[in-house]
Amino acid sequence: MARTTSTYVCQSCGAQTRQFFGRCASCGSWNSLVEQSATPTDTRRRRPVASSGEATAIPASPRRSEPIAAVGDRPLQRLGSGYGEFDRVLGGGLVPGSLVLLGGDPGIGKSTLLLQSAQAMAADHSVLYVSAEESAQQVKLRWRRLSDEQALGAEVSQLHLLAETDLELVLQELEALRPAVAVIDSIQALHDGELGSAPGSVAQVRECAAALARIAKRQDTALLLVGHVTKEGMLAGPKVLEHLVDAVLTFEGDRFASHRLLRAVKNRFGATHELGVFEMRGQGLAQVLNPSELFLGSEEPSAGTATIVACEGTRPLVVELQALVSTTSYASPRRTATGIGTNRLHQILAVLEKHLGLPLSRFDCYLAVAGGLDVEEPAADLGVAAAVVASYRDLTLPPGTVLIGELGLGGQLRPVGQLEQRLQESARLGFRRAVVPKGSGLGRLAAGLDLQLHEAGSVAEALVLALGVNPADDRA
Ligand code: TYD
Ligand code: MG
């Protein structure tokens, strides 16, 4: 009788050990080891597992190296996804033979996005949609709901649907149909009968993805894989999955708001940090072509409100910030920030306290970014400072003003990148004044845009320019 041996596989990094540990020795995560039993015969696998994670291109014949200049140019032929916002994040469209992993919380709209996109692409290409989570009937119901609005009638027959969880059958169908694009919804729900472990486990996800990658490269099918995310917001499954695919996209959004943000975390064929914006409607996802309007409050300007221009990839977004500063009744004041890192807020408050002499450590401070956007950029610093000071002094910033600049710990206002695009976007949305770091050299551009440009070297100077009074002056 074959002796069964057990290995323990870390569900977060894929490391294997012979012994159980509470904490993975390789990545340090707790309770992530899962037992996986394998009989010795199992090691003779039908397909070799890509151990390094990199997809092998399977050369048909032994290849020799050649001088790089002599390598034939093959222009990247990209397939449009049917949605400009999606294409932007992909770097211009889907590349044949590539693998794209789309992650996101349950119910955020991954299946909807990919079904809509599959439907749009099916007008020109053959597309296979593999549903491993929902039945064919469920997908069809959704498809019908989505297609009505798009008026892309039922005569489109190049969209094929397969409701299947068995990897072997999915591979067979891919080989038989040879589609230009295939959607696998989701990779965690597929399973390879040859492996003993449960669907969704590290070994399963890795083996299924590697097998799909091989077939995609061989027949130039662009693959879109849906991946689940864990409670912590990480893509579930082993890290090797992220190395195996060419692009990792995340689809995120506020459960309470209708807009959804699509971002590239990794992209071998384009820039990362590009942003695509969609809105979930009753009949599927619609593109938001003018996202700044989403992140701008429509009400009258009030005390403690400031407008910044954040750049997401190459795309400037005009966003409203709100701060509330109130006397604290706690021993240590409360600081709460949504959309901006709390550490960043602490740092800005410390700079204001030190360089403007404002006693902010005796006040609670709350900060929020409108529209649920996460702003990671330091270019938002000046806006945060202005919102805090305006709330503290009960001042209203003159309407139509945007604030751009990073705060140095010494109270300086530091230059930021892509200032030109930021100013253009502000002017396009009707803003007439901008406070920016000194030495931008964009005076002429601003004049052309009919934008009043105020340049400041320090945060104190910038706030005087922005508010029209000196906030450090107690009589202000
Ligand atoms: P879904 O694509 O199933 O999410 P995921 O695949 O990421 O789990 O999206 C499901 C949610 O989207 C569900 O809560 C209902 C909502 N929805 C709409 O609001 N309008 C629509 O037209 C569709 C299809 C879904
Ligand atoms: Mg789904």
Side-chain angles (χ1 to χ4, degrees), residues 315-357:
R315 183 178 214 183
L317 286 177
V318 179
V319 182
E320 194 177 275
L321 301 177
Q322 283 190 319
L324 177 68
V325 175
S326 63
T327 320
T328 188
S329 45
Y330 303 96
S332 58
R334 290 185 68 102
R335 273 94 171 76
T336 311
T338 37
I340 280 195
T342 316
N343 285 338
R344 192 112 214 135
L345 177 63
H346 281 293
Q347 190 174 318
I348 295 167
L349 293 177
V351 170
L352 290 176
E353 178 134 23
K354 173 93 181 166
H355 296 279
L356 270 74

mmCIF file of all heavy atoms in Angstrom, residues 315-357:
data_model
loop_
_atom_site.group_PDB
_atom_site.id
_atom_site.type_symbol
_atom_site.label_atom_id
_atom_site.label_comp_id
_atom_site.label_asym_id
_atom_site.label_seq_id
_atom_site.Cartn_x
_atom_site.Cartn_y
_atom_site.Cartn_z
ATOM 1 N N ARG A 315 -3.913 60.292 -14.599
ATOM 2 C CA ARG A 315 -5.194 60.964 -14.642
ATOM 3 C C ARG A 315 -5.430 61.857 -13.437
ATOM 4 O O ARG A 315 -5.486 61.393 -12.313
ATOM 5 C CB ARG A 315 -6.246 59.879 -14.659
ATOM 6 C CG ARG A 315 -7.616 60.378 -14.781
ATOM 7 C CD ARG A 315 -8.507 59.193 -14.823
ATOM 8 N NE ARG A 315 -9.614 59.484 -15.666
ATOM 9 C CZ ARG A 315 -10.605 58.633 -15.857
ATOM 10 N NH1 ARG A 315 -10.565 57.457 -15.309
ATOM 11 N NH2 ARG A 315 -11.607 58.961 -16.603
ATOM 12 N N PRO A 316 -5.574 63.161 -13.663
ATOM 13 C CA PRO A 316 -5.828 64.045 -12.521
ATOM 14 C C PRO A 316 -7.291 64.000 -12.107
ATOM 15 O O PRO A 316 -8.175 63.940 -12.952
ATOM 16 C CB PRO A 316 -5.455 65.424 -13.057
ATOM 17 C CG PRO A 316 -5.489 65.308 -14.525
ATOM 18 C CD PRO A 316 -5.508 63.878 -14.933
ATOM 19 N N LEU A 317 -7.512 64.001 -10.812
ATOM 20 C CA LEU A 317 -8.881 63.979 -10.292
ATOM 21 C C LEU A 317 -9.041 65.118 -9.298
ATOM 22 O O LEU A 317 -8.257 65.226 -8.360
ATOM 23 C CB LEU A 317 -9.136 62.685 -9.531
ATOM 24 C CG LEU A 317 -9.325 61.407 -10.305
ATOM 25 C CD1 LEU A 317 -9.479 60.242 -9.348
ATOM 26 C CD2 LEU A 317 -10.550 61.511 -11.174
ATOM 27 N N VAL A 318 -10.021 65.940 -9.511
ATOM 28 C CA VAL A 318 -10.269 67.019 -8.567
ATOM 29 C C VAL A 318 -11.183 66.475 -7.473
ATOM 30 O O VAL A 318 -12.232 65.918 -7.758
ATOM 31 C CB VAL A 318 -10.900 68.231 -9.284
ATOM 32 C CG1 VAL A 318 -11.168 69.340 -8.293
ATOM 33 C CG2 VAL A 318 -9.980 68.724 -10.379
ATOM 34 N N VAL A 319 -10.738 66.597 -6.230
ATOM 35 C CA VAL A 319 -11.413 65.924 -5.125
ATOM 36 C C VAL A 319 -11.613 66.896 -3.969
ATOM 37 O O VAL A 319 -10.751 67.727 -3.690
ATOM 38 C CB VAL A 319 -10.533 64.747 -4.625
ATOM 39 C CG1 VAL A 319 -11.234 63.989 -3.516
ATOM 40 C CG2 VAL A 319 -10.168 63.818 -5.746
ATOM 41 N N GLU A 320 -12.743 66.777 -3.293
ATOM 42 C CA GLU A 320 -13.011 67.649 -2.157
ATOM 43 C C GLU A 320 -12.664 66.968 -0.834
ATOM 44 O O GLU A 320 -12.907 65.780 -0.662
ATOM 45 C CB GLU A 320 -14.491 67.999 -2.164
ATOM 46 C CG GLU A 320 -14.822 69.141 -1.258
ATOM 47 C CD GLU A 320 -16.288 69.496 -1.360
ATOM 48 O OE1 GLU A 320 -16.633 70.273 -2.265
ATOM 49 O OE2 GLU A 320 -17.059 68.981 -0.551
ATOM 50 N N LEU A 321 -12.068 67.739 0.062
ATOM 51 C CA LEU A 321 -11.725 67.247 1.402
ATOM 52 C C LEU A 321 -12.523 68.028 2.422
ATOM 53 O O LEU A 321 -12.787 69.211 2.234
ATOM 54 C CB LEU A 321 -10.259 67.531 1.721
ATOM 55 C CG LEU A 321 -9.161 66.979 0.850
ATOM 56 C CD1 LEU A 321 -7.835 67.493 1.385
ATOM 57 C CD2 LEU A 321 -9.191 65.483 0.897
ATOM 58 N N GLN A 322 -12.871 67.371 3.515
ATOM 59 C CA GLN A 322 -13.551 68.086 4.591
ATOM 60 C C GLN A 322 -12.866 67.782 5.905
ATOM 61 O O GLN A 322 -12.515 66.628 6.165
ATOM 62 C CB GLN A 322 -14.995 67.624 4.693
ATOM 63 C CG GLN A 322 -15.866 68.207 3.620
ATOM 64 C CD GLN A 322 -17.316 67.916 3.887
ATOM 65 O OE1 GLN A 322 -17.663 66.822 4.296
ATOM 66 N NE2 GLN A 322 -18.153 68.911 3.667
ATOM 67 N N ALA A 323 -12.682 68.810 6.706
ATOM 68 C CA ALA A 323 -12.073 68.602 8.015
ATOM 69 C C ALA A 323 -13.002 69.169 9.076
ATOM 70 O O ALA A 323 -13.748 70.119 8.827
ATOM 71 C CB ALA A 323 -10.729 69.296 8.094
ATOM 72 N N LEU A 324 -12.976 68.539 10.240
ATOM 73 C CA LEU A 324 -13.715 69.060 11.385
ATOM 74 C C LEU A 324 -12.765 69.077 12.568
ATOM 75 O O LEU A 324 -12.218 68.054 12.960
ATOM 76 C CB LEU A 324 -14.927 68.169 11.687
ATOM 77 C CG LEU A 324 -15.726 68.581 12.916
ATOM 78 C CD1 LEU A 324 -16.426 69.905 12.671
ATOM 79 C CD2 LEU A 324 -16.735 67.520 13.274
ATOM 80 N N VAL A 325 -12.547 70.276 13.104
ATOM 81 C CA VAL A 325 -11.643 70.424 14.243
ATOM 82 C C VAL A 325 -12.487 70.920 15.409
ATOM 83 O O VAL A 325 -13.165 71.935 15.293
ATOM 84 C CB VAL A 325 -10.526 71.439 13.895
ATOM 85 C CG1 VAL A 325 -9.650 71.703 15.100
ATOM 86 C CG2 VAL A 325 -9.692 70.923 12.731
ATOM 87 N N SER A 326 -12.497 70.157 16.493
ATOM 88 C CA SER A 326 -13.311 70.588 17.634
ATOM 89 C C SER A 326 -12.570 70.303 18.935
ATOM 90 O O SER A 326 -11.753 69.392 18.995
ATOM 91 C CB SER A 326 -14.661 69.868 17.627
ATOM 92 O OG SER A 326 -14.440 68.494 17.781
ATOM 93 N N THR A 327 -12.885 71.079 19.969
ATOM 94 C CA THR A 327 -12.196 70.936 21.254
ATOM 95 C C THR A 327 -12.332 69.511 21.767
ATOM 96 O O THR A 327 -13.419 68.943 21.729
ATOM 97 C CB THR A 327 -12.818 71.879 22.306
ATOM 98 O OG1 THR A 327 -13.102 73.100 21.656
ATOM 99 C CG2 THR A 327 -11.878 72.109 23.470
ATOM 100 N N THR A 328 -11.236 68.960 22.235
ATOM 101 C CA THR A 328 -11.292 67.561 22.648
ATOM 102 C C THR A 328 -11.759 67.424 24.084
ATOM 103 O O THR A 328 -11.548 68.320 24.914
ATOM 104 C CB THR A 328 -9.926 66.877 22.478
ATOM 105 O OG1 THR A 328 -10.090 65.483 22.725
ATOM 106 C CG2 THR A 328 -8.886 67.415 23.447
ATOM 107 N N SER A 329 -12.437 66.311 24.362
ATOM 108 C CA SER A 329 -12.780 66.054 25.754
ATOM 109 C C SER A 329 -12.071 64.795 26.224
ATOM 110 O O SER A 329 -12.471 64.159 27.176
ATOM 111 C CB SER A 329 -14.296 65.923 25.889
ATOM 112 O OG SER A 329 -14.789 65.114 24.858
ATOM 113 N N TYR A 330 -11.056 64.397 25.475
ATOM 114 C CA TYR A 330 -10.283 63.206 25.836
ATOM 115 C C TYR A 330 -8.882 63.607 26.267
ATOM 116 O O TYR A 330 -8.410 64.685 25.925
ATOM 117 C CB TYR A 330 -10.157 62.262 24.639
ATOM 118 C CG TYR A 330 -11.479 61.833 24.061
ATOM 119 C CD1 TYR A 330 -12.025 62.511 22.970
ATOM 120 C CD2 TYR A 330 -12.176 60.764 24.605
ATOM 121 C CE1 TYR A 330 -13.231 62.128 22.429
ATOM 122 C CE2 TYR A 330 -13.388 60.368 24.072
ATOM 123 C CZ TYR A 330 -13.913 61.060 22.980
ATOM 124 O OH TYR A 330 -15.109 60.679 22.463
ATOM 125 N N ALA A 331 -8.223 62.686 26.952
ATOM 126 C CA ALA A 331 -6.846 62.949 27.362
ATOM 127 C C ALA A 331 -5.945 63.053 26.140
ATOM 128 O O ALA A 331 -5.115 63.950 26.036
ATOM 129 C CB ALA A 331 -6.370 61.841 28.288
ATOM 130 N N SER A 332 -6.143 62.118 25.203
ATOM 131 C CA SER A 332 -5.406 62.278 23.948
ATOM 132 C C SER A 332 -6.439 62.501 22.856
ATOM 133 O O SER A 332 -7.419 61.762 22.762
ATOM 134 C CB SER A 332 -4.560 61.037 23.656
ATOM 135 O OG SER A 332 -5.390 59.925 23.603
ATOM 136 N N PRO A 333 -6.267 63.559 22.066
ATOM 137 C CA PRO A 333 -7.320 63.923 21.112
ATOM 138 C C PRO A 333 -7.507 62.864 20.031
ATOM 139 O O PRO A 333 -6.599 62.110 19.723
ATOM 140 C CB PRO A 333 -6.800 65.230 20.508
ATOM 141 C CG PRO A 333 -5.348 65.219 20.748
ATOM 142 C CD PRO A 333 -5.107 64.439 21.992
ATOM 143 N N ARG A 334 -8.698 62.832 19.500
ATOM 144 C CA ARG A 334 -9.007 61.849 18.462
ATOM 145 C C ARG A 334 -8.617 62.392 17.103
ATOM 146 O O ARG A 334 -8.839 63.554 16.789
ATOM 147 C CB ARG A 334 -10.504 61.565 18.441
ATOM 148 C CG ARG A 334 -10.987 60.812 19.634
ATOM 149 C CD ARG A 334 -12.439 60.476 19.455
ATOM 150 N NE ARG A 334 -12.590 59.510 18.367
ATOM 151 C CZ ARG A 334 -12.795 58.211 18.573
ATOM 152 N NH1 ARG A 334 -12.879 57.762 19.794
ATOM 153 N NH2 ARG A 334 -12.931 57.390 17.568
ATOM 154 N N ARG A 335 -8.035 61.526 16.297
ATOM 155 C CA ARG A 335 -7.729 61.874 14.911
ATOM 156 C C ARG A 335 -8.257 60.754 14.037
ATOM 157 O O ARG A 335 -7.802 59.622 14.153
ATOM 158 C CB ARG A 335 -6.211 61.945 14.669
ATOM 159 C CG ARG A 335 -5.588 63.284 14.967
ATOM 160 C CD ARG A 335 -5.061 63.315 16.377
ATOM 161 N NE ARG A 335 -4.266 64.496 16.664
ATOM 162 C CZ ARG A 335 -4.746 65.698 16.888
ATOM 163 N NH1 ARG A 335 -6.050 65.888 16.829
ATOM 164 N NH2 ARG A 335 -3.959 66.706 17.157
ATOM 165 N N THR A 336 -9.218 61.081 13.201
ATOM 166 C CA THR A 336 -9.802 60.056 12.338
ATOM 167 C C THR A 336 -9.759 60.553 10.904
ATOM 168 O O THR A 336 -10.135 61.692 10.633
ATOM 169 C CB THR A 336 -11.271 59.783 12.729
ATOM 170 O OG1 THR A 336 -11.300 59.600 14.129
ATOM 171 C CG2 THR A 336 -11.801 58.559 12.049
ATOM 172 N N ALA A 337 -9.266 59.725 10.008
ATOM 173 C CA ALA A 337 -9.201 60.130 8.609
ATOM 174 C C ALA A 337 -9.762 59.031 7.730
ATOM 175 O O ALA A 337 -9.419 57.870 7.901
ATOM 176 C CB ALA A 337 -7.751 60.419 8.224
ATOM 177 N N THR A 338 -10.659 59.392 6.815
ATOM 178 C CA THR A 338 -11.088 58.415 5.808
ATOM 179 C C THR A 338 -10.590 58.905 4.460
ATOM 180 O O THR A 338 -10.783 60.057 4.105
ATOM 181 C CB THR A 338 -12.616 58.258 5.745
ATOM 182 O OG1 THR A 338 -13.187 59.536 5.962
ATOM 183 C CG2 THR A 338 -13.137 57.298 6.766
ATOM 184 N N GLY A 339 -9.919 58.036 3.751
ATOM 185 C CA GLY A 339 -9.417 58.391 2.418
ATOM 186 C C GLY A 339 -7.996 58.897 2.433
ATOM 187 O O GLY A 339 -7.382 59.063 1.391
ATOM 188 N N ILE A 340 -7.460 59.168 3.631
ATOM 189 C CA ILE A 340 -6.079 59.627 3.754
ATOM 190 C C ILE A 340 -5.477 58.896 4.943
ATOM 191 O O ILE A 340 -6.180 58.665 5.926
ATOM 192 C CB ILE A 340 -6.018 61.161 3.936
ATOM 193 C CG1 ILE A 340 -6.179 61.817 2.564
ATOM 194 C CG2 ILE A 340 -4.754 61.629 4.636
ATOM 195 C CD1 ILE A 340 -5.817 63.244 2.468
ATOM 196 N N GLY A 341 -4.225 58.520 4.865
ATOM 197 C CA GLY A 341 -3.590 57.782 5.958
ATOM 198 C C GLY A 341 -3.572 58.601 7.240
ATOM 199 O O GLY A 341 -3.305 59.804 7.214
ATOM 200 N N THR A 342 -3.874 57.949 8.358
ATOM 201 C CA THR A 342 -3.901 58.680 9.634
ATOM 202 C C THR A 342 -2.515 59.209 9.992
ATOM 203 O O THR A 342 -2.384 60.299 10.544
ATOM 204 C CB THR A 342 -4.403 57.760 10.760
ATOM 205 O OG1 THR A 342 -5.514 57.040 10.267
ATOM 206 C CG2 THR A 342 -4.839 58.548 11.971
ATOM 207 N N ASN A 343 -1.474 58.455 9.636
ATOM 208 C CA ASN A 343 -0.117 58.930 9.937
ATOM 209 C C ASN A 343 0.197 60.218 9.205
ATOM 210 O O ASN A 343 0.859 61.105 9.721
ATOM 211 C CB ASN A 343 0.908 57.864 9.554
ATOM 212 C CG ASN A 343 0.895 56.739 10.554
ATOM 213 O OD1 ASN A 343 0.452 56.932 11.690
ATOM 214 N ND2 ASN A 343 1.353 55.578 10.139
ATOM 215 N N ARG A 344 -0.291 60.295 7.991
ATOM 216 C CA ARG A 344 -0.094 61.505 7.193
ATOM 217 C C ARG A 344 -0.785 62.688 7.884
ATOM 218 O O ARG A 344 -0.249 63.773 7.968
ATOM 219 C CB ARG A 344 -0.694 61.230 5.812
ATOM 220 C CG ARG A 344 -0.354 62.206 4.781
ATOM 221 C CD ARG A 344 0.553 61.687 3.682
ATOM 222 N NE ARG A 344 1.399 62.801 3.290
ATOM 223 C CZ ARG A 344 2.687 62.715 3.092
ATOM 224 N NH1 ARG A 344 3.303 61.580 3.242
ATOM 225 N NH2 ARG A 344 3.372 63.774 2.751
ATOM 226 N N LEU A 345 -2.004 62.442 8.357
ATOM 227 C CA LEU A 345 -2.746 63.499 9.042
ATOM 228 C C LEU A 345 -1.998 63.951 10.297
ATOM 229 O O LEU A 345 -1.851 65.146 10.545
ATOM 230 C CB LEU A 345 -4.150 63.001 9.402
ATOM 231 C CG LEU A 345 -5.030 63.966 10.200
ATOM 232 C CD1 LEU A 345 -5.309 65.231 9.398
ATOM 233 C CD2 LEU A 345 -6.345 63.316 10.598
ATOM 234 N N HIS A 346 -1.475 62.988 11.062
ATOM 235 C CA HIS A 346 -0.704 63.327 12.266
ATOM 236 C C HIS A 346 0.468 64.225 11.901
ATOM 237 O O HIS A 346 0.751 65.216 12.583
ATOM 238 C CB HIS A 346 -0.140 62.049 12.898
ATOM 239 C CG HIS A 346 -1.144 61.295 13.698
ATOM 240 N ND1 HIS A 346 -1.671 61.769 14.854
ATOM 241 C CD2 HIS A 346 -1.717 60.095 13.511
ATOM 242 C CE1 HIS A 346 -2.539 60.893 15.352
ATOM 243 N NE2 HIS A 346 -2.583 59.873 14.540
ATOM 244 N N GLN A 347 1.145 63.860 10.826
ATOM 245 C CA GLN A 347 2.330 64.615 10.406
ATOM 246 C C GLN A 347 1.960 66.049 10.022
ATOM 247 O O GLN A 347 2.614 67.004 10.426
ATOM 248 C CB GLN A 347 2.959 63.880 9.230
ATOM 249 C CG GLN A 347 4.310 64.415 8.838
ATOM 250 C CD GLN A 347 4.931 63.524 7.751
ATOM 251 O OE1 GLN A 347 4.858 62.298 7.829
ATOM 252 N NE2 GLN A 347 5.528 64.137 6.759
ATOM 253 N N ILE A 348 0.856 66.191 9.268
ATOM 254 C CA ILE A 348 0.442 67.524 8.835
ATOM 255 C C ILE A 348 0.034 68.370 10.048
ATOM 256 O O ILE A 348 0.376 69.548 10.150
ATOM 257 C CB ILE A 348 -0.701 67.404 7.805
ATOM 258 C CG1 ILE A 348 -0.176 66.720 6.544
ATOM 259 C CG2 ILE A 348 -1.292 68.765 7.475
ATOM 260 C CD1 ILE A 348 -1.236 66.258 5.586
ATOM 261 N N LEU A 349 -0.661 67.743 11.004
ATOM 262 C CA LEU A 349 -1.065 68.477 12.202
ATOM 263 C C LEU A 349 0.155 68.938 12.992
ATOM 264 O O LEU A 349 0.192 70.057 13.515
ATOM 265 C CB LEU A 349 -1.960 67.591 13.084
ATOM 266 C CG LEU A 349 -3.320 67.235 12.497
ATOM 267 C CD1 LEU A 349 -4.077 66.299 13.418
ATOM 268 C CD2 LEU A 349 -4.150 68.486 12.241
ATOM 269 N N ALA A 350 1.175 68.071 13.040
ATOM 270 C CA ALA A 350 2.397 68.440 13.763
ATOM 271 C C ALA A 350 3.092 69.616 13.081
ATOM 272 O O ALA A 350 3.564 70.537 13.748
ATOM 273 C CB ALA A 350 3.326 67.235 13.838
ATOM 274 N N VAL A 351 3.116 69.606 11.754
ATOM 275 C CA VAL A 351 3.738 70.715 11.022
ATOM 276 C C VAL A 351 2.977 72.018 11.296
ATOM 277 O O VAL A 351 3.574 73.069 11.546
ATOM 278 C CB VAL A 351 3.789 70.402 9.502
ATOM 279 C CG1 VAL A 351 4.193 71.628 8.708
ATOM 280 C CG2 VAL A 351 4.736 69.249 9.227
ATOM 281 N N LEU A 352 1.648 71.941 11.297
ATOM 282 C CA LEU A 352 0.842 73.142 11.526
ATOM 283 C C LEU A 352 1.052 73.667 12.941
ATOM 284 O O LEU A 352 1.117 74.871 13.184
ATOM 285 C CB LEU A 352 -0.645 72.839 11.298
ATOM 286 C CG LEU A 352 -1.050 72.574 9.848
ATOM 287 C CD1 LEU A 352 -2.516 72.187 9.777
ATOM 288 C CD2 LEU A 352 -0.791 73.802 8.989
ATOM 289 N N GLU A 353 1.143 72.746 13.901
ATOM 290 C CA GLU A 353 1.330 73.135 15.289
ATOM 291 C C GLU A 353 2.673 73.834 15.473
ATOM 292 O O GLU A 353 2.774 74.884 16.098
ATOM 293 C CB GLU A 353 1.244 71.883 16.165
ATOM 294 C CG GLU A 353 1.461 72.157 17.632
ATOM 295 C CD GLU A 353 0.425 71.456 18.512
ATOM 296 O OE1 GLU A 353 -0.164 70.463 18.061
ATOM 297 O OE2 GLU A 353 0.204 71.933 19.642
ATOM 298 N N LYS A 354 3.684 73.246 14.859
ATOM 299 C CA LYS A 354 5.043 73.760 15.043
ATOM 300 C C LYS A 354 5.279 75.058 14.272
ATOM 301 O O LYS A 354 5.819 76.016 14.802
ATOM 302 C CB LYS A 354 6.020 72.669 14.578
ATOM 303 C CG LYS A 354 7.457 73.067 14.535
ATOM 304 C CD LYS A 354 8.142 72.722 15.832
ATOM 305 C CE LYS A 354 9.601 73.151 15.766
ATOM 306 N NZ LYS A 354 10.193 73.147 17.096
ATOM 307 N N HIS A 355 4.849 75.088 13.014
ATOM 308 C CA HIS A 355 5.236 76.217 12.175
ATOM 309 C C HIS A 355 4.211 77.332 12.113
ATOM 310 O O HIS A 355 4.520 78.437 11.701
ATOM 311 C CB HIS A 355 5.590 75.731 10.768
ATOM 312 C CG HIS A 355 6.778 74.830 10.771
ATOM 313 N ND1 HIS A 355 8.066 75.308 10.815
ATOM 314 C CD2 HIS A 355 6.881 73.487 10.798
ATOM 315 C CE1 HIS A 355 8.909 74.287 10.859
ATOM 316 N NE2 HIS A 355 8.211 73.168 10.854
ATOM 317 N N LEU A 356 2.967 77.057 12.516
ATOM 318 C CA LEU A 356 1.986 78.135 12.556
ATOM 319 C C LEU A 356 1.592 78.453 13.985
ATOM 320 O O LEU A 356 0.816 79.367 14.229
ATOM 321 C CB LEU A 356 0.731 77.761 11.748
ATOM 322 C CG LEU A 356 0.748 78.154 10.274
ATOM 323 C CD1 LEU A 356 1.650 77.259 9.478
ATOM 324 C CD2 LEU A 356 -0.641 78.124 9.697
ATOM 325 N N GLY A 357 2.104 77.627 14.901
ATOM 326 C CA GLY A 357 1.813 77.864 16.311
ATOM 327 C C GLY A 357 0.360 77.618 16.677
ATOM 328 O O GLY A 357 -0.175 78.224 17.602
#
